[in-house]
Amino acid sequence: MNSISNDMVKRKNIILIGMPGSGKSTLGVVLAKKMGYSFIDSDIVIQDTYGCTLEELIDEHGDAGFIKIENDVNCSISPEHTIIATGGSAVYGKEAMEHLRQIGTVIYLKLDYADIDRRLSDIKGRGVVLKDGQTLKDLYDERVVLYEKYADITIAEDGLNVEQTIEKIVAQIQKESL
């Protein structure tokens, strides 16, 4: 794997968006190491800020309350040369997504529904915003539109391992910065 220099990236940060289970945190750590960037998981920032798990926040504040909390926290994140892995529901926060687009390049990690379904065994335990009666498929269909709306770059992960996905991301970043 060739390393890339910081000046190859148009904007200061890289923001990863996508469904829960798409690998944002796992890929983010590896990508940060490869690029010599820092790494932030916005879900961890939320948990650190509020002193409880995402699941507890959703239980206490409801879906709408959690989305507001997530939006506010994401609006406050302003690092430089950092890979930011967002929560899957970050795309519901219009202000946060506009902020993240201003401070970095937004990359949508796209997986087909069957792969997401296979990866997510305990969706509620992961602190996923899921309305009453909403299925994972409903959630997937609702969010894909938002991920595509906010993405500067879309990376199709189907059939790729972590290293192959990282190579694809780096190639796209290099292509975009020419």
Side-chain angles (χ1 to χ4, degrees):
M1 289 204 274
N2 298 330
S3 65
I4 65 174
S5 63
N6 292 344
D7 60 11
M8 289 181 161
V9 180
K10 274 196 292 193
R11 300 182 215 155
K12 298 180 275 194
N13 304 294
I14 296 172
I15 295 91
L16 302 177
I17 63 173
M19 283 293 289
S22 63
K24 298 178 298 289
S25 297
T26 302
L27 290 165
V29 169
V30 177
L31 185 60
K33 287 179 181 179
K34 179 171 179 60
M35 294 182 64
Y37 275 35
S38 297
F39 174 76
I40 293 174
D41 184 317
S42 69
D43 283 346
I44 302 297
V45 175
I46 293 167
Q47 289 181 168
D48 287 349
T49 301
Y50 286 86
C52 57
T53 67
L54 301 179
E55 185 179 14
E56 291 167 339
L57 282 170
I58 293 168
D59 288 346
E60 183 178 338
H61 299 277
D63 294 343
F66 175 77
I67 287 169
K68 179 169 180 358
I69 288 169
E70 183 176 40
N71 187 57
D72 292 346
V73 170
N74 285 339
C75 281
S76 74
I77 297 173
S78 289
E80 289 194 20
H81 297 101
T82 299
I83 307 298
I84 303 166
T86 64
S89 56
V91 291
Y92 293 130
K94 185 176 186 285
E95 298 84 2
M97 289 310 301
E98 288 171 1
H99 166 71
L100 293 171
R101 287 183 89 185
Q102 288 175 356
I103 67 165
T105 300
V106 177
I107 298 177
Y108 167 32
L109 298 176
K110 183 177 186 171
L111 265 179
D112 66 26
Y113 173 74
D115 286 331
I116 294 293
D117 187 42
R118 192 181 74 253
R119 290 183 183 191
L120 293 180
S121 56
D122 179 21
I123 192 164
K124 280 293 191 186
R126 286 184 67 132
V128 175
V129 174
L130 195 63
K131 300 175 193 115
D132 286 337
Q134 189 177 38
T135 67
L136 180 59
K137 178 71 168 112
D138 295 336
L139 185 71
Y140 180 86
D141 292 342
E142 177 180 285
R143 288 189 183 176
V144 163
V145 175
L146 295 170
Y147 297 138
E148 290 172 351
K149 171 184 175 181
Y150 289 115
D152 296 309
I153 297 170
T154 297
I155 300 293
E157 297 181 85
D158 302 316
L160 302 179
N161 63 28
V162 170
E163 291 79 17
Q164 291 167 326
T165 303
I166 294 293
E167 285 297 325
K168 201 170 179 180
I169 291 169
V170 169
Q172 263 316 119
I173 291 169
Q174 289 174 331
K175 182 179 168 191
E176 294 286 320
S177 63
L178 294 177

